[in-house]
Amino acid sequence: SQKIEQNSEALNIQEGKTATLTCNYTNYSPAYLQWYRQDPGRGPVFLLLIRENEKEKRKERLKVTFDTTLKQSLFHITASQPADSATYLCALRGFKTIFGAGTRLFVKA
Amino acid sequence: EAQVTQNPRYLITVTGKKLTVTCSQNMNHEYMSWYRQDPGLGLRQIYYSMNVEVTDKGDVPEGYKVSRKEKRNFPLILESPSPNQTSLYFCASSAPSRTSGGYEQYFGPGTRLTVT
């Protein structure tokens, strides 16, 4: 069956450093992969998507890579800030959408 | 303001009592979807609707029904709720975006349901 995995442990980093989150998937050939941010008690907010024929996408301090051979996406937040502390979800999008369980990021000042 | 609204936001009910959670979007999106979110399991898709004529099951449709009579509304119906349906529910809508090159999902604020 289709499976998507993210770092289950929380990621703690110091302000100003680059946070790197991982998303791995199996048994799926998505049209594209999406990343969302979710704050406690709120709905996810769309950040970026990357198509299967793209290697890298950037938006301000965010960068996403997509390796369809490894079946892996990396999500980077450069120059991280305490306000970046949240849970980050990856999602595979075909007709259906499959989400990972998310990785909690804590950025310390 | 472009948004997805859900009602109610919080609901406590008893086993077997039929309930409906409403979802409405004002962005003229074709695609709408329902998810449930449980600790450690992430968001799981219950049903999705590509347009008013096409609705299909997601990964966890058992015990749920949906209706898409008009583009803006996509209610979730629990005919006979059970305690294992206690969860946080999100409705989402999406449409293709030229900016990002694909479908971006916009989520509602969530409905916290407790079935006792």
Side-chain angles (χ1 to χ4, degrees), chain B residues 13-115:
Chain B
T13 190
V14 296
T15 299
K17 186 176 181 182
K18 181 179 178 180
L19 66 91
T20 299
V21 184
T22 64
C23 173
S24 183
Q25 51 94 5
N26 62 1
M27 295 169 280
N28 203 36
H29 287 169
E30 294 283 354
Y31 188 101
M32 296 186 74
S33 185
W34 274 102
Y35 298 89
R36 62 177 289 174
Q37 188 171 36
D38 302 288
L41 296 178
L43 281 159
R44 293 180 292 169
Q45 195 172 39
I46 302 170
Y47 270 95
Y48 65 94
S49 173
M50 298 185 69
N51 53 56
V52 293
E53 297 174 352
V54 180
T55 298
D56 207 349
K57 297 176 182 178
D59 285 332
V60 288
E62 294 78 20
Y64 305 95
K65 286 175 58 177
V66 291
S67 171
R68 189 88 184 272
K69 296 178 181 177
E70 50 189 337
K71 185 185 280 190
R72 66 181 291 125
N73 296 322
F74 192 44
L76 179 69
I77 303 156
L78 284 72
E79 295 271 2
S80 183
S82 63
N84 65 10
Q85 292 179 298
T86 293
S87 187
L88 179 59
Y89 291 86
F90 288 103
C91 180
S93 71
S94 62
S97 165
R98 287 185 203 167
T99 306
S100 62
Y103 281 75
E104 302 175 11
Q105 289 196 90
Y106 294 81
F107 283 81
T111 295
R112 188 166 291 280
L113 172 66
T114 301
V115 183

Side-chain angles (χ1 to χ4, degrees), chain A residues 25-43:
Chain A
Y25 63 93
T26 58
N27 298 328
Y28 200 75
S29 295
Y32 47 85
L33 188 144
Q34 301 171 323
W35 284 89
Y36 291 80
R37 169 184 173 139
Q38 187 175 25
D39 292 289
R42 309 192 73 155

